[in-house]
Amino acid sequence: MKPKLLLFLLPGLMALAVYSCTKLEPAAPVADTVMDAPLDGMTSAQYKLFNEGAGEFDEVYHTETGLGPVFVATSCGSCHAGDNRGHLFTILTRFGQPDTAGNRFLAMGGPQLQNRAIQGHSPEEIPAGATSSKFTAPIASGVGFLELVSDADIIAMAEANITHPDGVRGHPNWNTIPDYVIPFPDAVSKGGKYICRFGRKASTYNLHQQTVQAFNQDIGVTTSFLPNNPFNYLSGLNPVQTADPEISDASVNATVFYLQGLQAPIQRDQNDAQVVSGKNIFINIGCESCHRQTLKTGFSPIEPLSYQEFHPYTDLLVHDMGVGLNDHYTEGTAKPSEWRTTPLWGLGLAGDAQGGNLFLMHDGRALSIEDAILMHGGEAEVSATRFMDLSQPDKDALLKFLKSL
């Protein structure tokens, strides 16, 4: 091309390039639809650690980096897609504990089934006679806030239930904790057990324990905290002891920090008249007795987490949900029909992480929010009945409110 012609066309080409980039670049996601964003206000060092942890959370493991020999998934992110609720494709199976006396199948691979294996090993199978239950992964976003609710506040919510007129009787799941878990300075202990709050039955104490267990039980990755591979009695070779953990303490700690540093889900359309009406109905029919809208954190060295009010819609207690949700399996001191109140934040975006459909309740059996409400029995039966008695406009308002979370 002649220099003069190029000079003539250059401004137009540049303008076209700018226009094309503007049109072709994907729009930035709206902040209130993002689940994996960091908290605002962390220090530079904390943001750096958060990003390191994000990389650990999404790393896909293979045999050379520690996967297996038996496992469920190959990364944390594969179960917590978009840091929201998990899909049926990565459902977990736990087995071996029919009551509060403890797991009777630890010597046969309990409590978690690893249904996949690397070459040369056998996937695990549920031993004969073991009761079992299936769990989808709970939401990851906002868990740093849940970790910092004080034991005193959880106990106070339980004590307030003693005289609840609707028969709500939620209580903490008191459970033993492993030696590597350090209780919080204000922790309350009863008979050597501590108030746990993570997992479908609130059987795990804090995010450190949750992360270490997930690396080991979900991916088969050993750490200095759990140095043995998951036990699989079918192979006759496990537990495989590892003298050299497959990931470092620094990697574990970065992953824990990532979870702590995730922002809480942001409610959308808070001022919409139908959403406001639905929220009032939610409270009036008693849903908020368990799905507590506002909790508060205690002190945290992560300043944006410290002494904050937040809105998870849970009380972190376990409640009897009735015969329909009795899976004859339990953890800690939760009974077979007792489940931790699921935080409702992020509910309206759950479908984005579940392939466009909804799979709610602990095992994904509810295919819509209304299905999930109607499955509430036991302590929640009064509220579920009140929901069924609502007019259709009031039901619509309540559902719109829940979808705004």
Side-chain angles (χ1 to χ4, degrees):
M1 185 176 292
K2 295 180 180 179
K4 286 188 177 178
L5 180 57
L6 177 61
L7 192 63
F8 174 76
L9 293 175
L10 191 56
L13 292 172
M14 293 178 64
L16 178 62
V18 171
Y19 174 82
S20 299
C21 290
T22 303
K23 292 298 181 184
L24 294 177
E25 284 182 351
V30 179
D32 59 12
T33 64
V34 175
M35 294 281 122
D36 58 357
L39 294 162
D40 288 334
M42 291 194 294
T43 66
S44 298
Q46 289 171 338
Y47 279 123
K48 181 175 182 294
L49 186 58
F50 178 88
N51 287 328
E52 291 174 7
E56 299 288 349
F57 191 82
D58 288 326
E59 178 170 346
V60 177
Y61 283 84
H62 48 81
T63 52
E64 286 74 19
T65 55
L67 178 69
V70 289
F71 62 99
V72 179
T74 57
S75 73
C76 304
S78 61
C79 289
H80 301 276
D83 287 347
N84 207 320
R85 291 153 175 79
H87 193 276
L88 297 182
F89 289 143
T90 53
I91 201 165
L92 299 173
T93 300
R94 301 268 177 82
F95 65 88
Q97 186 170 338
D99 51 39
T100 59
N103 195 302
R104 302 170 189 175
F105 286 82
L106 294 177
M108 298 184 76
Q112 185 161 303
L113 181 77
Q114 286 83 37
N115 61 338
R116 301 172 69 188
I118 63 174
Q119 189 172 10
H121 290 265
S122 301
E124 196 174 14
E125 296 178 10
I126 299 175
T131 186
S132 65
S133 186
K134 293 183 180 299
F135 301 160
T136 58
I139 186 171
S141 184
V143 289
F145 290 86
L146 298 179
E147 184 177 54
L148 292 170
V149 177
S150 72
D151 286 358
D153 282 357
I154 294 174
I155 291 171
M157 287 186 281
E159 290 177 345
N161 287 334
I162 293 173
T163 57
H164 196 288
D166 291 345
V168 173
R169 297 290 184 268
H171 63 87
N173 188 348
W174 297 91
N175 202 2
T176 55
I177 60 175
D179 293 340
Y180 64 80
V181 172
I182 301 173
F184 291 108
D186 60 350
V188 177
S189 177
K190 186 168 73 174
K193 297 181 177 180
Y194 290 87
I195 294 176
C196 295
R197 64 193 69 194
F198 292 110
R200 293 297 189 179
K201 285 183 179 283
S203 62
T204 305
Y205 183 74
N206 63 7
L207 293 175
H208 182 238
Q209 183 186 3
Q210 181 70 37
T211 301
V212 170
Q213 288 182 171
F215 271 125
N216 190 264
Q217 295 289 305
D218 297 354
I219 312 176
V221 170
T222 58
T223 63
S224 69
F225 309 103
L226 288 178
N228 291 355
N229 281 309
F231 181 83
N232 180 9
Y233 75 101
L234 289 175
S235 73
L237 297 175
N238 288 326
V240 178
Q241 295 186 354
T242 54
D244 184 18
E246 289 155 336
I247 61 171
S248 67
D249 291 0
S251 294
V252 172
N253 293 336
T255 309
V256 173
F257 190 86
Y258 170 72
L259 293 169
Q260 291 171 331
L262 284 169
Q263 74 172 16
I266 301 170
Q267 186 184 5
R268 300 165 310 287
D269 303 321
Q270 294 185 42
N271 298 320
D272 179 278
Q274 194 180 21
V275 169
V276 173
S277 173
K279 180 177 180 179
N280 290 331
I281 295 166
F282 177 86
I283 295 170
N284 291 338
I285 67 173
C287 303
E288 208 224 359
S289 298
C290 303
H291 293 283
R292 297 286 291 264
Q293 63 174 304
T294 302
L295 300 178
K296 64 179 185 295
T297 63
F299 168 77
S300 171
I302 307 171
E303 188 174 349
L305 281 177
S306 201
Y307 303 114
Q308 299 292 315
E309 279 197 349
F310 62 104
H311 308 289
Y313 292 89
T314 178
D315 57 6
L316 298 175
L317 302 174
V318 292
H319 294 265
D320 180 359
M321 296 297 289
V323 175
L325 293 176
N326 183 340
D327 62 350
H328 308 289
Y329 175 80
T330 194
E331 295 173 330
T333 54
K335 296 182 177 64
S337 61
E338 291 180 332
W339 299 91
R340 185 193 71 162
T341 306
T342 297
L344 296 180
W345 56 11
L347 178 60
L349 301 174
D352 294 349
Q354 295 180 323
N357 298 305
L358 287 177
F359 303 97
L360 304 176
M361 306 302 284
H362 66 276
D363 56 0
R365 70 179 66 180
L367 304 182
S368 71
I369 295 175
E370 187 164 3
D371 282 351
I373 295 171
L374 297 179
M375 288 178 185
H376 280 55
E379 296 175 31
E381 187 169 353
V382 171
S383 293
T385 300
R386 289 174 182 154
F387 171 78
M388 287 187 284
D389 291 339
L390 291 174
S391 67
Q392 192 58 51
D394 283 351
K395 283 183 181 177
D396 292 342
L398 176 55
L399 293 174
K400 185 169 183 177
F401 160 66
L402 293 172
K403 291 174 183 174
S404 77
L405 297 178

PDB file of all heavy atoms in Angstrom, residues 348-372:
ATOM      1  N   GLY A 348     -31.321 -16.818  44.143  1.00  0.00           N
ATOM      2  CA  GLY A 348     -31.838 -16.388  42.846  1.00  0.00           C
ATOM      3  C   GLY A 348     -30.875 -16.599  41.700  1.00  0.00           C
ATOM      4  O   GLY A 348     -31.277 -16.562  40.533  1.00  0.00           O
ATOM      5  N   LEU A 349     -29.595 -16.822  41.999  1.00  0.00           N
ATOM      6  CA  LEU A 349     -28.587 -17.053  40.968  1.00  0.00           C
ATOM      7  C   LEU A 349     -28.126 -18.500  40.925  1.00  0.00           C
ATOM      8  O   LEU A 349     -27.183 -18.842  40.206  1.00  0.00           O
ATOM      9  CB  LEU A 349     -27.378 -16.133  41.202  1.00  0.00           C
ATOM     10  CG  LEU A 349     -27.677 -14.633  41.196  1.00  0.00           C
ATOM     11  CD1 LEU A 349     -26.445 -13.838  41.589  1.00  0.00           C
ATOM     12  CD2 LEU A 349     -28.164 -14.200  39.811  1.00  0.00           C
ATOM     13  N   ALA A 350     -28.784 -19.363  41.703  1.00  0.00           N
ATOM     14  CA  ALA A 350     -28.356 -20.763  41.777  1.00  0.00           C
ATOM     15  C   ALA A 350     -28.422 -21.435  40.411  1.00  0.00           C
ATOM     16  O   ALA A 350     -27.565 -22.246  40.055  1.00  0.00           O
ATOM     17  CB  ALA A 350     -29.205 -21.527  42.789  1.00  0.00           C
ATOM     18  N   GLY A 351     -29.440 -21.105  39.623  1.00  0.00           N
ATOM     19  CA  GLY A 351     -29.583 -21.720  38.316  1.00  0.00           C
ATOM     20  C   GLY A 351     -28.406 -21.446  37.404  1.00  0.00           C
ATOM     21  O   GLY A 351     -28.061 -22.267  36.547  1.00  0.00           O
ATOM     22  N   ASP A 352     -27.753 -20.290  37.582  1.00  0.00           N
ATOM     23  CA  ASP A 352     -26.577 -19.969  36.764  1.00  0.00           C
ATOM     24  C   ASP A 352     -25.459 -20.984  36.976  1.00  0.00           C
ATOM     25  O   ASP A 352     -24.662 -21.247  36.080  1.00  0.00           O
ATOM     26  CB  ASP A 352     -26.058 -18.571  37.100  1.00  0.00           C
ATOM     27  CG  ASP A 352     -27.048 -17.482  36.707  1.00  0.00           C
ATOM     28  OD1 ASP A 352     -28.024 -17.800  35.993  1.00  0.00           O
ATOM     29  OD2 ASP A 352     -26.858 -16.329  37.133  1.00  0.00           O
ATOM     30  N   ALA A 353     -25.383 -21.526  38.199  1.00  0.00           N
ATOM     31  CA  ALA A 353     -24.334 -22.503  38.515  1.00  0.00           C
ATOM     32  C   ALA A 353     -24.805 -23.937  38.318  1.00  0.00           C
ATOM     33  O   ALA A 353     -24.006 -24.859  38.418  1.00  0.00           O
ATOM     34  CB  ALA A 353     -23.871 -22.317  39.964  1.00  0.00           C
ATOM     35  N   GLN A 354     -26.095 -24.105  38.054  1.00  0.00           N
ATOM     36  CA  GLN A 354     -26.648 -25.457  37.961  1.00  0.00           C
ATOM     37  C   GLN A 354     -27.173 -25.751  36.557  1.00  0.00           C
ATOM     38  O   GLN A 354     -28.127 -26.511  36.389  1.00  0.00           O
ATOM     39  CB  GLN A 354     -27.751 -25.648  39.010  1.00  0.00           C
ATOM     40  CG  GLN A 354     -27.211 -25.562  40.448  1.00  0.00           C
ATOM     41  CD  GLN A 354     -28.287 -25.743  41.491  1.00  0.00           C
ATOM     42  OE1 GLN A 354     -29.424 -25.285  41.325  1.00  0.00           O
ATOM     43  NE2 GLN A 354     -27.943 -26.417  42.580  1.00  0.00           N
ATOM     44  N   GLY A 355     -26.570 -25.138  35.575  1.00  0.00           N
ATOM     45  CA  GLY A 355     -26.904 -25.439  34.195  1.00  0.00           C
ATOM     46  C   GLY A 355     -28.240 -24.906  33.730  1.00  0.00           C
ATOM     47  O   GLY A 355     -28.829 -25.439  32.786  1.00  0.00           O
ATOM     48  N   GLY A 356     -28.731 -23.870  34.382  1.00  0.00           N
ATOM     49  CA  GLY A 356     -29.996 -23.280  33.965  1.00  0.00           C
ATOM     50  C   GLY A 356     -31.212 -23.855  34.660  1.00  0.00           C
ATOM     51  O   GLY A 356     -32.321 -23.346  34.497  1.00  0.00           O
ATOM     52  N   ASN A 357     -31.016 -24.922  35.430  1.00  0.00           N
ATOM     53  CA  ASN A 357     -32.102 -25.513  36.203  1.00  0.00           C
ATOM     54  C   ASN A 357     -31.788 -25.375  37.677  1.00  0.00           C
ATOM     55  O   ASN A 357     -30.687 -24.980  38.062  1.00  0.00           O
ATOM     56  CB  ASN A 357     -32.264 -26.993  35.841  1.00  0.00           C
ATOM     57  CG  ASN A 357     -32.636 -27.185  34.385  1.00  0.00           C
ATOM     58  OD1 ASN A 357     -33.612 -26.624  33.914  1.00  0.00           O
ATOM     59  ND2 ASN A 357     -31.826 -27.960  33.666  1.00  0.00           N
ATOM     60  N   LEU A 358     -32.763 -25.716  38.520  1.00  0.00           N
ATOM     61  CA  LEU A 358     -32.543 -25.672  39.957  1.00  0.00           C
ATOM     62  C   LEU A 358     -32.531 -27.082  40.532  1.00  0.00           C
ATOM     63  O   LEU A 358     -33.347 -27.931  40.134  1.00  0.00           O
ATOM     64  CB  LEU A 358     -33.641 -24.845  40.644  1.00  0.00           C
ATOM     65  CG  LEU A 358     -33.587 -23.330  40.451  1.00  0.00           C
ATOM     66  CD1 LEU A 358     -34.787 -22.675  41.131  1.00  0.00           C
ATOM     67  CD2 LEU A 358     -32.296 -22.753  41.017  1.00  0.00           C
ATOM     68  N   PHE A 359     -31.597 -27.327  41.451  1.00  0.00           N
ATOM     69  CA  PHE A 359     -31.522 -28.588  42.197  1.00  0.00           C
ATOM     70  C   PHE A 359     -31.308 -28.208  43.655  1.00  0.00           C
ATOM     71  O   PHE A 359     -30.163 -28.088  44.103  1.00  0.00           O
ATOM     72  CB  PHE A 359     -30.381 -29.463  41.668  1.00  0.00           C
ATOM     73  CG  PHE A 359     -30.490 -29.764  40.199  1.00  0.00           C
ATOM     74  CD1 PHE A 359     -29.784 -29.014  39.269  1.00  0.00           C
ATOM     75  CD2 PHE A 359     -31.324 -30.783  39.741  1.00  0.00           C
ATOM     76  CE1 PHE A 359     -29.891 -29.284  37.906  1.00  0.00           C
ATOM     77  CE2 PHE A 359     -31.435 -31.058  38.384  1.00  0.00           C
ATOM     78  CZ  PHE A 359     -30.717 -30.301  37.466  1.00  0.00           C
ATOM     79  N   LEU A 360     -32.398 -28.017  44.376  1.00  0.00           N
ATOM     80  CA  LEU A 360     -32.337 -27.479  45.734  1.00  0.00           C
ATOM     81  C   LEU A 360     -32.560 -28.575  46.783  1.00  0.00           C
ATOM     82  O   LEU A 360     -32.792 -29.727  46.454  1.00  0.00           O
ATOM     83  CB  LEU A 360     -33.371 -26.364  45.890  1.00  0.00           C
ATOM     84  CG  LEU A 360     -33.255 -25.219  44.874  1.00  0.00           C
ATOM     85  CD1 LEU A 360     -34.376 -24.213  45.060  1.00  0.00           C
ATOM     86  CD2 LEU A 360     -31.888 -24.534  44.963  1.00  0.00           C
ATOM     87  N   MET A 361     -32.523 -28.185  48.040  1.00  0.00           N
ATOM     88  CA  MET A 361     -32.487 -29.061  49.213  1.00  0.00           C
ATOM     89  C   MET A 361     -31.116 -29.739  49.269  1.00  0.00           C
ATOM     90  O   MET A 361     -30.293 -29.570  48.381  1.00  0.00           O
ATOM     91  CB  MET A 361     -33.641 -30.064  49.248  1.00  0.00           C
ATOM     92  CG  MET A 361     -35.021 -29.413  49.120  1.00  0.00           C
ATOM     93  SD  MET A 361     -35.382 -28.176  50.405  1.00  0.00           S
ATOM     94  CE  MET A 361     -35.742 -29.219  51.807  1.00  0.00           C
ATOM     95  N   HIS A 362     -30.876 -30.542  50.304  1.00  0.00           N
ATOM     96  CA  HIS A 362     -29.522 -31.055  50.531  1.00  0.00           C
ATOM     97  C   HIS A 362     -29.024 -31.962  49.418  1.00  0.00           C
ATOM     98  O   HIS A 362     -27.830 -32.079  49.182  1.00  0.00           O
ATOM     99  CB  HIS A 362     -29.467 -31.808  51.868  1.00  0.00           C
ATOM    100  CG  HIS A 362     -30.287 -33.064  51.889  1.00  0.00           C
ATOM    101  ND1 HIS A 362     -31.637 -33.065  52.168  1.00  0.00           N
ATOM    102  CD2 HIS A 362     -29.958 -34.353  51.654  1.00  0.00           C
ATOM    103  CE1 HIS A 362     -32.092 -34.302  52.109  1.00  0.00           C
ATOM    104  NE2 HIS A 362     -31.103 -35.110  51.795  1.00  0.00           N
ATOM    105  N   ASP A 363     -29.938 -32.624  48.708  1.00  0.00           N
ATOM    106  CA  ASP A 363     -29.535 -33.573  47.670  1.00  0.00           C
ATOM    107  C   ASP A 363     -30.051 -33.192  46.286  1.00  0.00           C
ATOM    108  O   ASP A 363     -30.011 -34.014  45.370  1.00  0.00           O
ATOM    109  CB  ASP A 363     -30.029 -34.975  48.027  1.00  0.00           C
ATOM    110  CG  ASP A 363     -31.536 -35.016  48.253  1.00  0.00           C
ATOM    111  OD1 ASP A 363     -32.192 -33.956  48.140  1.00  0.00           O
ATOM    112  OD2 ASP A 363     -32.055 -36.097  48.545  1.00  0.00           O
ATOM    113  N   GLY A 364     -30.513 -31.963  46.138  1.00  0.00           N
ATOM    114  CA  GLY A 364     -30.948 -31.489  44.835  1.00  0.00           C
ATOM    115  C   GLY A 364     -32.291 -32.022  44.383  1.00  0.00           C
ATOM    116  O   GLY A 364     -32.651 -31.888  43.211  1.00  0.00           O
ATOM    117  N   ARG A 365     -33.071 -32.600  45.302  1.00  0.00           N
ATOM    118  CA  ARG A 365     -34.335 -33.228  44.902  1.00  0.00           C
ATOM    119  C   ARG A 365     -35.412 -32.213  44.514  1.00  0.00           C
ATOM    120  O   ARG A 365     -36.348 -32.564  43.786  1.00  0.00           O
ATOM    121  CB  ARG A 365     -34.863 -34.124  46.017  1.00  0.00           C
ATOM    122  CG  ARG A 365     -35.367 -33.385  47.235  1.00  0.00           C
ATOM    123  CD  ARG A 365     -35.919 -34.318  48.313  1.00  0.00           C
ATOM    124  NE  ARG A 365     -34.892 -35.162  48.912  1.00  0.00           N
ATOM    125  CZ  ARG A 365     -35.155 -36.042  49.869  1.00  0.00           C
ATOM    126  NH1 ARG A 365     -36.395 -36.194  50.307  1.00  0.00           N
ATOM    127  NH2 ARG A 365     -34.180 -36.751  50.402  1.00  0.00           N
ATOM    128  N   ALA A 366     -35.325 -30.983  44.992  1.00  0.00           N
ATOM    129  CA  ALA A 366     -36.321 -29.953  44.679  1.00  0.00           C
ATOM    130  C   ALA A 366     -35.913 -29.240  43.388  1.00  0.00           C
ATOM    131  O   ALA A 366     -34.822 -28.700  43.280  1.00  0.00           O
ATOM    132  CB  ALA A 366     -36.430 -28.957  45.818  1.00  0.00           C
ATOM    133  N   LEU A 367     -36.820 -29.219  42.414  1.00  0.00           N
ATOM    134  CA  LEU A 367     -36.502 -28.644  41.107  1.00  0.00           C
ATOM    135  C   LEU A 367     -36.999 -27.213  40.950  1.00  0.00           C
ATOM    136  O   LEU A 367     -36.889 -26.637  39.866  1.00  0.00           O
ATOM    137  CB  LEU A 367     -37.081 -29.540  40.004  1.00  0.00           C
ATOM    138  CG  LEU A 367     -36.622 -31.006  40.057  1.00  0.00           C
ATOM    139  CD1 LEU A 367     -37.209 -31.789  38.891  1.00  0.00           C
ATOM    140  CD2 LEU A 367     -35.102 -31.118  40.067  1.00  0.00           C
ATOM    141  N   SER A 368     -37.555 -26.663  42.003  1.00  0.00           N
ATOM    142  CA  SER A 368     -37.965 -25.257  42.000  1.00  0.00           C
ATOM    143  C   SER A 368     -37.983 -24.772  43.439  1.00  0.00           C
ATOM    144  O   SER A 368     -37.973 -25.580  44.384  1.00  0.00           O
ATOM    145  CB  SER A 368     -39.358 -25.084  41.378  1.00  0.00           C
ATOM    146  OG  SER A 368     -40.343 -25.618  42.246  1.00  0.00           O
ATOM    147  N   ILE A 369     -38.033 -23.447  43.592  1.00  0.00           N
ATOM    148  CA  ILE A 369     -38.097 -22.893  44.953  1.00  0.00           C
ATOM    149  C   ILE A 369     -39.389 -23.319  45.625  1.00  0.00           C
ATOM    150  O   ILE A 369     -39.411 -23.675  46.817  1.00  0.00           O
ATOM    151  CB  ILE A 369     -37.969 -21.362  44.900  1.00  0.00           C
ATOM    152  CG1 ILE A 369     -36.586 -20.964  44.379  1.00  0.00           C
ATOM    153  CG2 ILE A 369     -38.213 -20.756  46.267  1.00  0.00           C
ATOM    154  CD1 ILE A 369     -36.393 -19.474  44.173  1.00  0.00           C
ATOM    155  N   GLU A 370     -40.482 -23.331  44.881  1.00  0.00           N
ATOM    156  CA  GLU A 370     -41.761 -23.734  45.470  1.00  0.00           C
ATOM    157  C   GLU A 370     -41.713 -25.203  45.906  1.00  0.00           C
ATOM    158  O   GLU A 370     -42.222 -25.553  46.971  1.00  0.00           O
ATOM    159  CB  GLU A 370     -42.906 -23.502  44.491  1.00  0.00           C
ATOM    160  CG  GLU A 370     -44.277 -23.737  45.110  1.00  0.00           C
ATOM    161  CD  GLU A 370     -45.409 -23.156  44.280  1.00  0.00           C
ATOM    162  OE1 GLU A 370     -45.120 -22.633  43.198  1.00  0.00           O
ATOM    163  OE2 GLU A 370     -46.569 -23.237  44.736  1.00  0.00           O
ATOM    164  N   ASP A 371     -41.098 -26.065  45.090  1.00  0.00           N
ATOM    165  CA  ASP A 371     -40.920 -27.469  45.491  1.00  0.00           C
ATOM    166  C   ASP A 371     -40.195 -27.552  46.831  1.00  0.00           C
ATOM    167  O   ASP A 371     -40.567 -28.327  47.721  1.00  0.00           O
ATOM    168  CB  ASP A 371     -40.083 -28.230  44.459  1.00  0.00           C
ATOM    169  CG  ASP A 371     -40.875 -28.627  43.227  1.00  0.00           C
ATOM    170  OD1 ASP A 371     -42.108 -28.460  43.231  1.00  0.00           O
ATOM    171  OD2 ASP A 371     -40.247 -29.094  42.259  1.00  0.00           O
ATOM    172  N   ALA A 372     -39.136 -26.766  46.946  1.00  0.00           N
ATOM    173  CA  ALA A 372     -38.328 -26.812  48.169  1.00  0.00           C
ATOM    174  C   ALA A 372     -39.144 -26.386  49.381  1.00  0.00           C
ATOM    175  O   ALA A 372     -39.065 -27.002  50.455  1.00  0.00           O
ATOM    176  CB  ALA A 372     -37.099 -25.918  48.007  1.00  0.00           C
TER     177      ALA A 372
END
